[in-house]
Amino acid sequence: MNPQPGIPSSDRELAEAVLRGGEERAFRALYRRHSPRVYQLALRLLGGDVREAEDVTQETWLRAIGGLERFRWEAAFGTWLGRIAVHVAKDALRRRGRGREDLWDPELEFETTEPIPAHSAAERLATRIDLERAIALLPDGYRAVLVLHDVEGWPHQSIASELDISVGTSKSQLHRARRSLRALLVPAAEEPA
Amino acid sequence: MHDDELTASEREALRALPREASPSDLLEERTLQALVGRGLVRSRRRLPGAMAWMGAVAACLVFFVAGFGVGMRRAERPADESTFSPSATEGLAEQRPGSTLTQGAGEQTQPAAGEHRGLPAGAAMDTAGGLALTSTPANQKQRTQVVVWF
């Protein structure tokens, strides 16, 4: 099937066109539909590193298109793509020089330094920027769990499966991530004089 | 065990974070080229471009050869054959002996664009189009044939 511009095609139809005919237009349609979400997820998991996020996004598509034949359409294409992105991001985090044990080490404590001054609640945009900055400052392991659970809504079972950790580790990492995040976002009024 | 739950406002703030961001346009091209390189996607730019160029070159050669052949055939035709197009400009004029004066007379019609005729003997051919002049010896009644082509 040849997708026509302006005529919406389902993910499955587009994927079939890529798989059977290697159609460039079908790929571009899939890419433009799903890349913004994949890229944002990668960017947040990697603490705002644009270059690494782009590398993760590209690698995600390479693995997805290369594995299209094995995809059984039991989940939504976007969900499947997101899981691949998390897997690729996890590998990228590990390549940053830390071993597996360090990333989700239960003994690892994050010592917060200077909290980010919070703006008033009325300045929603500024609050959101502060929150993004605070998330980016978290250790890689804390950040990954917090982003997947509290931002993306993943259950601990899925997080543990994708990050190759236990459910207990996922929960404890989330607890510490939230505590660290709050410390980074101490409101200006509560800062010590 | 883990009683550090998010407050409603914290939960709302985290869920309100944007879920999409636009990567650079270069990333799309980079990703596409990587897929093309692995043979997973066919680029629709590369092959048609090469084919189009080859087709254009072939068409040019065909037109060139055809035009050359037509030109050669026309140049070889004798002047008195009825190949003169009625649309050609032609005139006959009688002159006094010795005169090389030419003038057009009689029926004159415009030749078709790009058409020219074989010239009578003694005529000079102006490939840019123009007048071909002939003259006859002084002891003969002079007939000057004017052929104009464009």
Side-chain angles (χ1 to χ4, degrees), chain A residues 41 45 82-91 148 154 162-163:
Chain A
L41 175 60
L45 286 171
R83 288 184 180 277
I84 297 175
V86 169
H87 198 82
V88 176
K90 178 192 70 178
D91 292 342
L148 291 176
W154 285 29
E162 286 303 322
L163 298 183

Side-chain angles (χ1 to χ4, degrees), chain B residues 79-103:
Chain B
D80 59 353
E81 282 187 7
S82 58
T83 56
F84 290 138
S85 165
S87 64
T89 300
E90 179 179 57
L92 293 175
E94 291 191 2
Q95 299 176 4
R96 285 178 295 178
S99 167
T100 58
L101 179 67
T102 64
Q103 64 187 81

Side-chain angles (χ1 to χ4, degrees), chain A residues 18 21-25 27-28 31-32 36-37 39-40 44 54-55 57-58 61-62 65-66 128 131-132 135 146 149-153 171-172 175 178-179 181-182, chain B residues 1-7 10-25 27-36 38 40-45:
Chain A
V18 174
E23 291 188 19
E24 178 185 327
R25 274 191 297 185
F27 164 72
R28 286 186 185 272
Y31 177 93
R32 290 169 186 174
R37 194 166 167 86
Y39 177 70
Q40 175 63 279
R44 201 166 275 142
E54 289 190 344
D55 289 345
T57 303
Q58 176 176 320
W61 279 108
L62 292 176
I65 300 299
R128 196 167 72 212
L131 187 52
E132 291 278 22
I135 291 172
L146 183 123
H149 188 276
D150 288 348
V151 179
E152 297 293 328
K171 289 179 177 178
S172 66
H175 167 72
R178 287 171 174 174
R179 199 175 62 194
L181 196 63
R182 289 192 183 107
Chain B
M1 182 190 304
H2 300 290
D3 56 354
D4 192 14
E5 294 297 327
L6 292 172
T7 63
E10 287 172 339
R11 192 177 299 113
E12 185 186 336
L14 285 165
R15 291 292 168 91
L17 288 174
R19 302 302 178 88
E20 295 187 350
S22 298
S24 68
D25 292 340
L27 181 60
E28 179 175 342
E29 300 309 315
R30 214 176 82 192
T31 305
L32 175 66
Q33 289 311 311
L35 288 166
V36 169
R38 292 187 181 193
L40 295 171
V41 172
R42 287 185 296 109
S43 174
R44 58 191 171 128
R45 292 197 188 101

Side-chain angles (χ1 to χ4, degrees), chain A residues 112-133:
Chain A
T112 57
T113 52
E114 296 296 320
I116 300 172
H119 294 269
S120 65
E123 297 178 350
R124 290 175 172 272
L125 180 61
T127 301
R128 196 167 72 212
I129 292 174
D130 289 340
L131 187 52
E132 291 278 22
R133 287 166 59 198

